[in-house]
Amino acid sequence: MFVAANRFRVIPEHCAAFEQAWLTRESHLHELPGFLAFHLLRGPAGADHVLYSSMTFWASRAAFEAWTRSEQFRRAHAGAGESKPMTLGPPQFEGFEVLQTLTPGGPA
Ligand code: HEM
């Protein structure tokens, strides 16, 4: 499993609009092979921003990379960075290989 995480530092007065844009978007992630889950996370508030992270769980790094080359990725980002910035700078990407997963079901 592979986790693609993007950190956004959102300017406090734009938080409501940022959340609204994400929560009401038309997502096409479910169309992609290897897509497992998506979470939009709101984290701690700093002096000049609130931290958000988008986390997408993929079956493999290859499945994630295929999405970044897809028409769905292109469309999801067609407008990104166009309007008045809601964030301090561009998002910061971090990719993680999952080494261990535990679930409430306990060991198989
Ligand atoms: C490897 C880099 C990136 C990854 C992994 C990533 C991840 C994602 C994901 C998972 C979505 C949701 C797509 C869907 O639900 O169909 C998305 C949409 C979006 N991303 Fe990215 N992204 C990347 C680069 C960027 C960059 C560079 C920007 C800003 C300049 C950006 C800003 C946005 C915005 C604004 C949306 C759409 C929110 C809306 O619909 O209003 N992303 N991204």
Side-chain angles (χ1 to χ4, degrees):
M1 188 154 56
F2 183 79
V3 181
N6 238 357
R7 293 155 58 92
F8 296 86
R9 290 174 303 148
V10 179
I11 299 161
E13 70 235 46
H14 297 311
C15 284
F18 180 86
E19 292 183 14
Q20 193 61 15
W22 277 88
L23 298 178
T24 60
R25 80 189 189 283
E26 195 183 318
S27 176
H28 296 276
L29 289 170
H30 62 278
E31 297 167 6
L32 278 298
F35 167 72
L36 299 178
F38 173 87
H39 298 278
L40 179 68
L41 310 177
R42 181 174 57 218
D48 59 353
H49 70 274
V50 177
L51 180 66
Y52 289 78
S53 179
S54 69
M55 273 197 191
T56 317
F57 291 68
W58 297 94
S60 63
R61 178 189 284 268
F64 161 70
E65 287 175 353
W67 173 65
T68 64
R69 293 189 295 266
S70 71
E71 177 60 19
Q72 285 90 341
F73 181 93
R74 198 194 60 72
R75 266 190 277 144
H77 294 91
E82 242 174 35
S83 54
K84 187 164 159 280
M86 292 193 268
T87 57
L88 300 176
Q92 290 148 330
F93 175 76
E94 288 157 336
F96 298 91
E97 297 284 353
V98 175
L99 300 183
Q100 183 184 43
T101 298
L102 300 175
T103 68

